[in-house]
Amino acid sequence: KAAKPAARKPIRSAKQLINFLETNRISAKIEKLGVEKVVSYLRLATGINVVLMKARIEKDGVDLEAIEITLDVDKVSIRDFLKLAFEPHGLGLAVRRNVLVITSKQAARGKPVLVIYDISELMMQIRDFPAADINIYPSNYEPPEPPEPEIHQAVESPEELAEMVRQFCGRDTWEDEGVSVTPFRRQLFIRQYPHVHREIQRFLAAVRALR
């Protein structure tokens, strides 16, 4: 049984559909159901348009017939329900206009796009000069040589930063076709999926904040 969302206006855009998936809740108890049956259940319980991309899923190496979904949830968001039901089985979710698309994880990510990141400020060395000594010494006292200023640098090289990006962003995506990170001088040329670029932007902002 499912707790149906409240009556609503027709969903006509991707923004409306995403908001619906995030703000409405569903309760469900599913035991060893195939993907197509869960999709049918989802259409009935939520009233949204759902398309299962069988051909693309099978092309990407997922055996739909072998998948059995077992799930027991109480009043979770529809979005969380979708993730719990499909993602453990190699399936991904995409929103296209007012339609929820269930496809392979690779297809759901979209196509990698190139973004050039300027990292010149992260390569600059910042010198920390010690403050002047205000102690009063006898007239014949010879003070020691002042210490060398400390040099702070967030990362040692573009290559090191590129490796950090690979480690902390885009988990399980760097082996995908068309995905890459190339350091060149004081820039990173990164081909990645849009959602991973958002991770990279947050990561670089955190590295800058450490300086």
Side-chain angles (χ1 to χ4, degrees), residues 158-176:
E159 289 76 16
E160 180 186 358
L161 185 58
E163 183 57 33
M164 292 170 65
V165 167
R166 289 179 63 94
Q167 290 180 8
F168 295 105
C169 306
R171 184 168 57 95
D172 300 331
T173 65
W174 293 102
E175 300 303 320
D176 289 1

Side-chain angles (χ1 to χ4, degrees), residues 117-135:
Y117 293 89
D118 184 354
I119 57 170
S120 55
E121 79 280 13
L122 296 176
M123 299 295 107
M124 292 175 60
Q125 296 181 344
I126 300 177
R127 294 182 180 273
D128 185 8
F129 292 92
D133 193 343
I134 60 173
N135 290 328

Side-chain angles (χ1 to χ4, degrees), residues 131-171:
D133 193 343
I134 60 173
N135 290 328
I136 300 175
Y137 299 104
S139 57
N140 61 346
Y141 176 79
E142 293 185 6
E145 290 292 325
E148 289 292 325
E150 295 182 7
I151 298 176
H152 298 281
Q153 188 167 328
V155 289
E156 294 295 328
S157 67
E159 289 76 16
E160 180 186 358
L161 185 58
E163 183 57 33
M164 292 170 65
V165 167
R166 289 179 63 94
Q167 290 180 8
F168 295 105
C169 306
R171 184 168 57 95

Side-chain angles (χ1 to χ4, degrees), residues 3-207:
K4 289 188 177 182
R8 56 176 173 80
K9 295 180 180 179
I11 294 174
R12 303 188 185 279
S13 68
K15 183 177 180 180
Q16 289 177 339
L17 179 53
I18 291 171
N19 181 67
F20 178 80
L21 297 177
E22 291 177 346
T23 58
N24 287 273
R25 296 186 175 276
I26 187 172
S27 297
K29 187 172 184 179
I30 298 170
E31 187 171 353
K32 294 184 178 180
L33 282 186
V35 173
E36 291 189 73
K37 288 187 178 180
V38 175
V39 169
S40 297
Y41 165 83
L42 185 62
R43 292 192 188 107
L44 180 64
T46 66
I48 61 177
N49 297 321
V50 187
V51 173
L52 178 63
M53 306 293 286
K54 294 178 63 176
R56 179 57 196 263
I57 291 170
E58 292 169 356
K59 180 182 177 182
D60 288 340
V62 178
D63 184 359
L64 278 176
E65 298 301 323
I67 296 175
E68 291 184 335
I69 297 173
T70 297
L71 193 61
D72 187 355
V73 294
D74 182 36
K75 295 181 181 179
V76 299
S77 71
I78 298 174
R79 183 167 187 162
D80 287 344
F81 168 83
L82 292 168
K83 289 183 176 180
L84 291 169
F86 297 117
E87 289 190 356
H89 303 284
L91 302 178
L93 310 168
V95 171
R96 296 174 185 167
R97 295 186 181 180
N98 65 337
V99 177
L100 173 67
V101 177
I102 300 174
T103 183
S104 66
K105 281 187 176 180
Q106 183 175 348
R109 289 168 179 163
K111 294 182 179 180
V113 295
L114 174 64
V115 175
I116 302 173
Y117 293 89
D118 184 354
I119 57 170
S120 55
E121 79 280 13
L122 296 176
M123 299 295 107
M124 292 175 60
Q125 296 181 344
I126 300 177
R127 294 182 180 273
D128 185 8
F129 292 92
D133 193 343
I134 60 173
N135 290 328
I136 300 175
Y137 299 104
S139 57
N140 61 346
Y141 176 79
E142 293 185 6
E145 290 292 325
E148 289 292 325
E150 295 182 7
I151 298 176
H152 298 281
Q153 188 167 328
V155 289
E156 294 295 328
S157 67
E159 289 76 16
E160 180 186 358
L161 185 58
E163 183 57 33
M164 292 170 65
V165 167
R166 289 179 63 94
Q167 290 180 8
F168 295 105
C169 306
R171 184 168 57 95
D172 300 331
T173 65
W174 293 102
E175 300 303 320
D176 289 1
E177 184 178 355
V179 171
S180 64
V181 52
T182 305
F184 180 71
R185 295 181 180 174
R186 297 193 173 193
Q187 294 177 319
L188 293 181
F189 290 72
I190 301 180
R191 289 188 181 275
Q192 257 293 1
Y193 304 107
H195 76 278
V196 178
H197 279 298
R198 291 191 288 272
E199 292 181 23
I200 293 169
Q201 290 161 9
R202 291 193 294 267
F203 172 74
L204 293 179
V207 174

